[in-house]
């Protein structure tokens, strides 16, 4: 089911993980951001669009995580953009002979059988520094920053007052830091990303996170503060009263495992340095 969240902007939410696919209406068709997860959901989205007389003219993936780089043939063969880093990451993944088996292993077991991998990660990288998505529709500004994943980008649709945040500012997921690989500081990277989003927040009427519920202007700063408080708590030793960590929502218990895993990896990386 497509739900309008702003003029010419609609979302389609997955059941597992509450991924928000974002549809932006342009002159000749729509831009589709982070399409969704399962065969059924992607087909449902394609049908919803065709019932509205809309076709997809371009795609965009906010970052190179499995749940943001899927596609379905029914959505059409169109350019699927991402930042240069996002595309490079996906090229590397697909360059392994057994990439599909590895990708399948990483899927949540509940939907592993129903998640189509043929068109997984076929992202066209936009040259570094590209400021907007090349398409015939409202200007969609690409705001790349170092938080969460390589080449992660938020999108700002100024004319519509919409910020598409990718995997940040969620009401269901705590901030998930990028890998602790020793070459950079994922805590500081995340705080930089939050500052970048904060700088854009004032003109935003509708915030669409990668997962969870959409919120209005009155909640944008609170979401930023909540993410920042979580990252500070993680950095400072983990005392954390973030409601997302102990979610009462069925199915979201494992957010506390994400939190525990991050605490552990951070402690390990500190011991190693
Ligand atoms: Zn995600």
């Amino acid at each position: 089911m497509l739900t309008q969240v702003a003029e010419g902007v609609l979302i389609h939410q997955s059941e597992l993980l509450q991924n928000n696919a974002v549809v932006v209406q342009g002159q000749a068709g729509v831009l589709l951001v982070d399409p969704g997860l399962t065969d059924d959901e992607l087909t449902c989205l394609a049908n919803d669009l065709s019932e509205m007389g809309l076709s997809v003219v371009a795609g965009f993936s906010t970052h190179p995580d499995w749940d943001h780089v899927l596609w379905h043939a029914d959505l059409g063969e169109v350019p699927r953009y991402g930042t240069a880093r996002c595309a490079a990451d996906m090229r590397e993944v697909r360059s392994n002979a057994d990439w599909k088996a590895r990708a399948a292993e990483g899927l949540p077991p509940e939907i592993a059988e129903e998640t189509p991998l043929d068109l997984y990660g076929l992202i066209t990288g936009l040259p570094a520094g590209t400021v907007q998505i090349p398409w015939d529709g409202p200007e969609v500004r690409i705001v790349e920053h170092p938080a969460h994943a390589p080449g992660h980008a938020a999108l700002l649709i100024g004319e519509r007052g919409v910020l598409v945040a990718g995997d940040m500012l969620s009401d269901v997921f705590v901030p998930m830091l990028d890998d602790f690989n020793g070459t950079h500081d994922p805590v500081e990277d995340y705080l930089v990303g939050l500052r970048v989003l904060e700088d854009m927040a004032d003109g935003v009427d509708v915030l669409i996170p990668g997962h969870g519920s959409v919120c209005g202007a009155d909640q944008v700063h609170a979401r930023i503060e909540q993410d920042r408080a979580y990252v500070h708590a993680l950095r400072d030793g983990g005392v954390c009263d973030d409601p997302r960590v102990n979610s009462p929502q069925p199915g979201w218990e494992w957010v506390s495992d994400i939190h525990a895993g991050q605490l552990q990896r951070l402690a390990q990386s500190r011991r190693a340095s």
Side-chain angles (χ1 to χ4, degrees), residues 12-145:
H12 194 267
Q13 198 177 61
S14 72
E15 192 182 338
L16 191 74
L17 305 176
Q18 297 180 22
N19 276 70
N20 292 314
V22 184
V23 169
V24 186
Q25 286 183 253
Q27 312 304 333
V30 306
L31 167 72
L32 176 56
V33 182
D34 295 355
L37 308 184
T38 65
D39 249 314
D40 278 357
E41 285 163 353
L42 294 166
T43 316
C44 171
L45 171 57
N47 289 339
D48 289 351
L49 289 172
S50 77
E51 273 164 29
M52 293 171 76
L54 299 170
S55 56
V56 180
V57 292
F60 188 87
S61 285
T62 55
H63 63 288
D65 281 349
W66 72 272
D67 53 324
H68 300 263
V69 294
L70 294 159
W71 197 261
H72 192 284
D74 289 358
L75 296 168
E77 213 175 299
V78 300
R80 294 164 53 193
Y81 300 114
T83 61
R85 269 202 202 122
C86 171
D89 197 274
M90 279 296 120
R91 254 196 318 279
E92 200 187 312
V93 166
R94 285 187 63 111
S95 70
N96 290 301
D98 62 345
W99 72 266
K100 210 185 253 187
R102 288 196 207 181
E105 258 169 47
L107 296 172
E110 300 94 313
I111 58 163
E113 302 283 305
E114 296 133 52
T115 302
L117 290 176
D118 286 344
L119 301 172
Y120 179 85
L122 293 172
I123 306 298
T124 301
L126 293 166
T130 303
V131 293
Q132 64 184 75
I133 296 180
W135 83 303
D136 191 9
E139 182 188 298
V140 180
R141 220 173 103 203
I142 301 169
V143 185
E144 187 173 350
H145 59 69

Side-chain angles (χ1 to χ4, degrees), residues 32-270:
L32 176 56
V33 182
D34 295 355
L37 308 184
T38 65
D39 249 314
D40 278 357
E41 285 163 353
L42 294 166
T43 316
C44 171
L45 171 57
N47 289 339
D48 289 351
L49 289 172
S50 77
E51 273 164 29
M52 293 171 76
L54 299 170
S55 56
V56 180
V57 292
F60 188 87
S61 285
T62 55
H63 63 288
D65 281 349
W66 72 272
D67 53 324
H68 300 263
V69 294
L70 294 159
W71 197 261
H72 192 284
D74 289 358
L75 296 168
E77 213 175 299
V78 300
R80 294 164 53 193
Y81 300 114
T83 61
R85 269 202 202 122
C86 171
D89 197 274
M90 279 296 120
R91 254 196 318 279
E92 200 187 312
V93 166
R94 285 187 63 111
S95 70
N96 290 301
D98 62 345
W99 72 266
K100 210 185 253 187
R102 288 196 207 181
E105 258 169 47
L107 296 172
E110 300 94 313
I111 58 163
E113 302 283 305
E114 296 133 52
T115 302
L117 290 176
D118 286 344
L119 301 172
Y120 179 85
L122 293 172
I123 306 298
T124 301
L126 293 166
T130 303
V131 293
Q132 64 184 75
I133 296 180
W135 83 303
D136 191 9
E139 182 188 298
V140 180
R141 220 173 103 203
I142 301 169
V143 185
E144 187 173 350
H145 59 69
H148 180 61
H152 190 285
L155 299 176
L156 184 65
I157 312 161
E159 266 175 60
R160 305 278 184 252
V162 172
L163 175 64
V164 178
D167 268 4
M168 297 174 74
L169 312 186
S170 168
D171 59 335
V172 287
F173 271 119
V174 289
M176 288 173 282
L177 273 51
D178 197 3
D179 292 340
F180 295 84
N181 63 14
T183 58
H184 61 143
D185 177 354
V187 171
E188 188 47 41
D189 286 349
Y190 211 99
L191 295 172
V192 169
L194 287 172
R195 279 197 294 274
V196 169
L197 296 181
E198 191 169 36
D199 285 343
M200 298 189 294
D202 281 343
V204 171
D205 301 318
V206 177
L207 162 71
I208 308 175
H211 303 262
S213 12
V214 170
C215 72
D218 57 328
Q219 284 298 308
V220 174
H221 284 285
R223 291 245 182 138
I224 293 170
E225 280 315 319
Q226 190 181 30
D227 272 7
R228 185 150 40 215
Y230 174 85
V231 176
H232 285 165
L234 197 62
R235 179 193 66 189
D236 300 339
V239 181
C240 176
D241 56 2
D242 194 305
R244 296 169 295 183
V245 173
N246 297 302
S247 172
Q249 274 199 67
W252 290 90
E253 302 82 3
W254 37 265
V255 175
S256 67
D257 297 341
I258 293 176
H259 173 58
Q262 298 201 110
L263 266 182
Q264 197 182 22
R265 291 207 308 283
L266 189 57
Q268 275 163 1
S269 75
R270 284 191 178 149

